[in-house]
Amino acid sequence: MDKLKICESEYRFASIVWDNEPIASGELVKLCLEQLGWKKSTTYTVLKKLCERGVLKNENSIVHSLVKREQVQKYESEQFINRAFSGSLPQFLTAFMGNRKISEQEAEDLKKLIDSYKED
């Protein structure tokens, strides 16, 4: 789904919307200046682009998302694991963990999470 593939700057922009929605476009301009250092024209250019792709909606100068942060995170995570680890979650976890240790509680939480996704 192409609308879920967004670059880093678009993701940072969308995060401002996700964190503040619904948000007036004028307020969005102020936040983008403060947090991203963007001029008004840059903010409106990116807003228009994401609206055209169906990620955001700007109606009556109120901006809200049509795609949720979790959808983008899931898509990006799957794309990364597919590309870098041939789709292997165990290979990803091995690389991610490296030599790190986790607490007994974290290990238990992960076991419960994995069990909740097991096929019957």
Side-chain angles (χ1 to χ4, degrees):
M1 202 177 248
D2 280 345
K3 73 178 175 183
L4 296 180
K5 184 178 182 179
I6 63 176
C7 69
E8 180 67 25
S9 60
E10 292 171 337
Y11 185 85
R12 291 190 338 247
F13 176 80
S15 288
I16 293 171
V17 174
W18 289 321
D19 290 343
N20 296 283
E21 69 180 311
I23 183 169
S25 58
E27 181 64 22
L28 183 58
V29 168
K30 289 177 190 173
L31 289 175
C32 287
L33 177 61
E34 292 170 9
Q35 295 180 26
L36 305 174
W38 288 5
K39 295 180 181 178
K40 180 179 179 179
S41 60
T42 304
T43 298
Y44 281 113
T45 297
V46 176
L47 176 59
K48 181 180 178 194
K49 183 177 177 182
L50 291 177
C51 286
E52 288 171 351
R53 289 183 21 220
V55 176
L56 301 176
K57 185 173 185 176
N58 184 7
E59 188 171 61
N60 298 323
S61 298
I62 301 296
V63 179
H64 64 91
S65 65
L66 297 175
V67 172
K68 300 300 176 199
R69 182 189 325 248
E70 294 77 15
Q71 291 174 275
V72 174
Q73 290 172 334
K74 180 179 183 296
Y75 173 83
E76 290 292 336
S77 299
E78 289 172 351
Q79 293 300 309
F80 174 73
I81 291 171
N82 286 336
R83 183 179 67 253
F85 300 96
S86 300
S88 172
L89 188 56
Q91 285 180 12
F92 165 74
L93 288 173
T94 300
F96 181 75
M97 292 301 296
N99 291 326
R100 282 189 271 182
K101 300 293 182 191
I102 60 174
S103 71
E104 188 66 36
Q105 183 61 52
E106 289 172 319
E108 192 59 40
D109 291 345
L110 286 171
K111 287 176 190 174
K112 288 178 184 176
L113 180 66
I114 290 168
D115 286 344
S116 73
Y117 283 92
K118 280 185 185 175
E119 292 178 354
D120 289 328

